[in-house]
Each structure stands twice: as structure tokens, then as C-alpha cells.
Amino acid sequence: MRTVELTCDPDFDDAVRAVWGRLDAAGLPSLTRNTHPTHRPHLTLAAAGAFPPGALERIDDLLAPALPLRVRLAGLLSFSARSRRRVLAWGIVPTPELLAVHGAVWAALDGADEPHPLYTPGRWMPHMSLTRRLEPEQLVTALEVLGRLPDHPGDLDAGRSYDTDTRTTVPLGAA
């Protein structure tokens, strides 16, 4: 699987990591526990089994003028995981600018093998993941620990592509 992601500027990154830390301090599964060197808060724009030839170059070209991109975190979201477990995420308001970048990325990926349907235009819910493996009863505790998170604006200032096979990233959108 390959992804296209946008990463946070340092202040925005710190804000998301602080929420990860609150969950971890409460003894809940948290993405703060993922210690892989490439792991950091990010917004996934697209995922597919393989990208068509030239796609990364096209995406690199379209992201450069679009970044930094101002977004706003607002509200908690919960998604089903592959089992009875839940994903907890901080929602991102889908602004016209963000939706335009998302659509342009998918246009550049036209013909990608095995596009992940939850990231395609019309189905995508922009978010920053906070945890991926909450048991249903832990979800209640997580919501109690976090309360109502305040809206938080921030900048997505860089892009990258992650390869799940090699666990490596390729930078995208460098000006």
C-alpha cells in the first residue's frame, strides 16, 4: 500500500501529540506508542495498492504551491476498525482548499491499483488519528479523558508518500 499524506508544522504536530499523550497517560492505546521513525501526526489524502507511473512527480508538483495549507481540527470522530475495536480521531473541517488538493491528488492517481475506497473523493473524512485499537469500553473512557477538545487551527506544511512494504517515506511538495 502507498499513501499520500500531509504532515503538520511543529506547533500543529505538538498539539496532536499532546492529545496522544493524554490518552497514553490515562492508560489507553495511543499513537504516541508507535515509535517507528517515520510515524508522526498526518492527514492521509489517498491510499492505493500501487501508484501509476509518474503519479508521485505529478503530486509533488501540485502540492508545492498548495502548502502550507491552513486547516482546523474540530470534534472527535470514531470509526470501525477491522474488528470490534474502534479508531478515535480528531476531525478536520473539509474546506474548499483542502477538498481541491484532495481532488487534485486523486486526479494525479488516476489508474492507481486498488484505490482504498475510504480515501476517495465523496467518501473521505479528513481527520488526524489519535488511536487505532480501542475496545468499545475504552472509547467511553477516551471520550471522558479528552472531553470536548477545542477547535484547533494549524498548518499542514509538507507532503510525503508512505510505502507500507518498505516502511519508508518519500517527501512531496517541497518548494
Side-chain angles (χ1 to χ4, degrees), residues 117-139:
L118 295 180
Y119 293 99
T120 58
R123 295 212 42 209
W124 179 60
M125 292 188 90
H127 64 277
M128 292 275 176
S129 294
L130 302 174
T131 185
R132 295 186 331 196
R133 295 181 181 95
L134 283 177
E135 295 293 336
E137 57 277 4
Q138 291 175 313
L139 178 61

Side-chain angles (χ1 to χ4, degrees), residues 59-116:
I59 293 167
D60 187 50
D61 289 344
L62 72 89
L63 288 181
L67 298 174
L69 181 62
R70 189 78 168 168
V71 297
R72 181 170 46 94
L73 295 166
L76 292 171
L77 305 172
S78 177
F79 303 105
S80 295
R82 291 186 179 135
S83 65
R84 65 185 228 113
R85 293 179 176 170
R86 305 294 298 175
V87 171
L88 183 63
W90 204 347
I92 295 178
V93 176
T95 63
E97 295 82 8
L98 178 57
L99 293 174
V101 168
H102 181 250
V105 165
W106 276 101
L109 291 173
D110 188 39
D113 292 339
E114 301 174 40
H116 193 300

Side-chain angles (χ1 to χ4, degrees), residues 15-28:
V16 175
R17 287 179 190 272
V19 175
W20 290 356
R22 288 173 59 191
L23 292 168
D24 189 54
L28 294 165

